[in-house]
Amino acid sequence: MTTSPTRPPLPAVQLRVPTDEDAHAWHTVFDDTDVMEFLGGPAELSVYEEFTARQRMHDAQRGYCMWTLLDAEGAVIGFTGAQPWPREEWGPVGEIEIGWRLGRSAWGKGYAYAAALATLDRLRAAGVPYVVAMIDARNTRSVAVAERLGMDLAEEFLTPGGNPGRRYALSLA
């Protein structure tokens, strides 16, 4: 008789529309060079204030956004969700990008995958037909989450900064 390895259960996650206070929480959680390694380094609080405001607008208009990610105890550990691709000059303009970003204390515990699954459920309910994930190819943690979700590698490219990138795609039909 053979047995298959079992994965530990996924952690409980909660998703909520970002609040003004979440801008401060994100700034604190992401103020880490390792967390922001593939995203240009830590950002100023004003970046998160604008970002949370934009996400509230997306949620009101579309029914989805980059939601604040909370652990089972209600602590802010990052964000996950989806938004229209935010850049006009390159990338999958017109497509919906799924994404996740977690503070270092939440790494390696299954939160990104659990939150991404919850995001996909919400996007299906909102009628989104497919999503893409734009990932720095050197970011092995995010690549692993996309592949575990069953996303297909659709394209490899160089970012405007010259870094290797990957566009993953997933049909939600």
Side-chain angles (χ1 to χ4, degrees):
M1 180 173 120
T2 60
T3 59
S4 63
T6 59
R7 292 184 186 255
L10 293 176
V13 294
Q14 303 169 55
L15 306 179
R16 73 167 180 226
V17 176
T19 64
D20 288 331
E21 293 78 25
D22 289 336
H24 294 274
W26 289 356
H27 181 253
T28 299
V29 170
F30 302 143
D31 191 25
D32 180 313
T33 55
D34 288 337
V35 170
M36 299 298 290
E37 176 181 5
F38 305 107
L39 300 164
E44 298 296 322
L45 174 61
S46 61
V47 170
Y48 296 109
E49 290 171 332
E50 186 279 328
F51 190 70
T52 56
R54 187 174 63 229
Q55 297 314 310
R56 288 190 294 276
M57 179 192 69
H58 287 319
D59 187 73
Q61 292 176 347
R62 300 172 179 274
Y64 57 86
C65 65
M66 290 293 194
W67 294 288
T68 296
L69 174 57
L70 309 159
D71 66 14
E73 288 75 41
V76 173
I77 59 173
F79 64 69
T80 188
Q83 64 179 347
W85 177 251
R87 295 171 183 85
E88 293 294 325
E89 67 276 6
W90 72 279
V93 175
E95 295 186 310
I96 304 302
E97 180 194 27
I98 185 174
W100 44 86
R101 185 182 311 165
L102 279 68
R104 188 195 317 225
S105 67
W107 289 2
K109 299 177 182 176
Y111 285 114
Y113 180 66
L117 288 175
T119 294
L120 292 176
D121 288 344
R122 288 185 178 197
L123 294 173
R124 284 184 185 97
V128 175
Y130 74 97
V131 293
V132 299
M134 299 293 284
I135 301 173
D136 186 305
R138 301 167 299 164
N139 187 342
T140 58
R141 287 182 178 90
S142 282
V143 166
V145 172
E147 291 177 352
R148 187 170 177 201
L149 290 170
M151 299 186 87
D152 295 317
L153 179 59
E155 178 185 6
E156 293 184 290
F157 58 92
L158 290 178
T159 67
N163 295 318
R166 292 181 178 178
R167 182 174 70 86
Y168 286 88
L170 179 67
S171 171
L172 301 182

